[in-house]
Amino acid sequence: MTKLPGLVLMACSALSFSLMAVVIKFLRGEMSTGEILFFRGLFCALLTIGALRLERASVLGNRRGLLALRGVLGFLGLYLYCTALGRIPLADAMALQYTHPIFAALFALLFLKERMPRTGPVAILICAAGGYLILNPQATGDLEGNLIGLASGCVAGLAYACVRALSKTENPLTIMLAFHIAALVFGAILMFGEFSWPAGITWLWIAALVVFSQAGQWFLTHGLVKERAGVATTVGYTAIVWGALFAWAVFGETIGVPTLIGTGMMVAGLALLTSRSR
């Protein structure tokens, strides 16, 4: 088990998932959503099984029903997110998907009886407002696409609450494996009849997808072991800051005044949260 604090782990997870989103955006032009999820699940599962063998830990785990639920919810959340990325602008998809800390806090309260700090709701609102300023999402007229993006945030919040519940009895790698196996199986079903073997530089993008996905899941799972779900997932809003930076560095988008103000709001919200979460 790592000695890093839970909130630091969650911040590292946010960075990894931001890089993953950039890679998915590129891969969407080369592969179907099913193929992306299949290859992600396949290689991440192999890496996780290898790590479990080294630790001589259980592959199947103890609470297999809840592990299966975590896997299905994780797959569904990622599938909805990938679908939203293919239908609406990146800013809209990220803004809607990163409602998951609010849903995670709600589900953790309902099912795990975890209480937020008194300042938690205020911190979430500050971070959310800052995130929307940074992304400045534009209406696309695609109501279904926007609802898919919002649904991805809701499902991800429920999946993170499951991870928090499983952390009491399961090895973090076992929890990760449940997600990867679900992505592998359902991704294979989705891509049935439309599979084409990747070629050339596409393999490099797949490798990057696996690395960032595996790192993000590792940081996320270990972070949720150490910190309450409602608090920990709020740090995921830092992914929006990274997203703005990558949009500037990779896609040439300008960072304007709203981005600077939004970043300041998010830093203030996270500072408020972390100062009261101990």
Side-chain angles (χ1 to χ4, degrees):
M1 180 68 68
T2 178
K3 295 182 179 180
L4 290 174
L7 295 179
V8 172
L9 292 167
M10 293 302 295
C12 292
S13 172
L15 171 58
S16 299
F17 284 139
S18 298
L19 289 165
M20 183 193 77
V22 172
V23 174
I24 289 176
K25 195 70 175 177
F26 277 108
L27 281 173
R28 283 287 300 176
E30 302 293 331
M31 308 170 68
S32 69
T33 298
E35 289 172 316
I36 292 172
L37 295 177
F38 171 78
F39 282 110
R40 179 191 187 278
L42 173 63
F43 292 117
C44 286
L46 291 174
L47 290 172
T48 306
I49 290 172
L52 280 166
R53 292 301 186 190
L54 288 175
E55 291 191 7
R56 297 182 179 179
S58 172
V59 172
L60 297 178
N62 302 303
R63 304 167 70 183
R64 295 172 188 175
L66 191 56
L67 281 166
L69 178 61
R70 187 276 178 267
V72 171
L73 289 172
F75 158 77
L76 182 58
L78 184 58
Y79 171 76
L80 291 170
Y81 187 35
C82 289
T83 302
L85 284 169
R87 295 189 56 159
I88 60 178
L90 177 62
D92 295 62
M94 285 191 68
L96 292 167
Q97 204 274 339
Y98 274 92
T99 57
H100 66 69
I102 299 171
F103 290 112
L106 176 61
F107 291 132
L109 175 64
L110 292 176
F111 302 123
L112 306 180
K113 308 304 179 185
E114 291 187 354
R115 298 288 180 179
M116 287 286 289
R118 290 183 180 181
T119 56
V122 176
I124 288 176
L125 289 174
I126 292 174
C127 288
Y132 272 82
L133 277 175
I134 290 172
L135 290 173
N136 189 27
Q138 303 296 315
T140 64
D142 187 347
L143 177 60
E144 184 178 345
N146 285 310
L147 288 175
I148 290 171
L150 182 60
S152 74
C154 179
V155 174
L158 185 54
Y160 293 166
C162 286
V163 172
R164 180 63 178 163
L166 286 165
S167 68
K168 297 177 173 60
T169 59
E170 308 298 332
N171 186 300
L173 289 170
T174 304
I175 301 173
M176 290 170 56
L177 181 61
F179 176 29
H180 299 327
I181 293 296
L184 167 62
V185 172
F186 289 109
I189 294 173
L190 286 173
M191 73 177 187
F192 184 75
E194 62 178 11
F195 176 76
S196 60
W197 194 254
I201 197 172
T202 303
W203 281 111
L204 295 178
W205 286 114
I206 292 174
L209 174 67
V210 171
V211 170
F212 295 136
S213 298
Q214 187 75 345
Q217 283 298 317
W218 189 91
F219 287 126
L220 167 70
T221 304
H222 282 78
L224 286 171
V225 167
K226 294 189 171 188
E227 186 57 76
R228 286 169 291 177
V231 173
T233 52
T234 304
V235 184
Y237 280 120
T238 57
I240 299 175
V241 179
W242 290 115
L245 291 174
F246 293 141
W248 169 72
V250 178
F251 302 109
E253 298 178 8
T254 303
I255 298 179
V257 174
T259 297
L260 297 176
I261 296 175
T263 301
M265 291 177 66
M266 291 181 63
V267 171
L270 291 171
L272 177 64
L273 179 69
T274 56
S275 66
R276 299 292 184 180
S277 63
R278 294 178 176 82

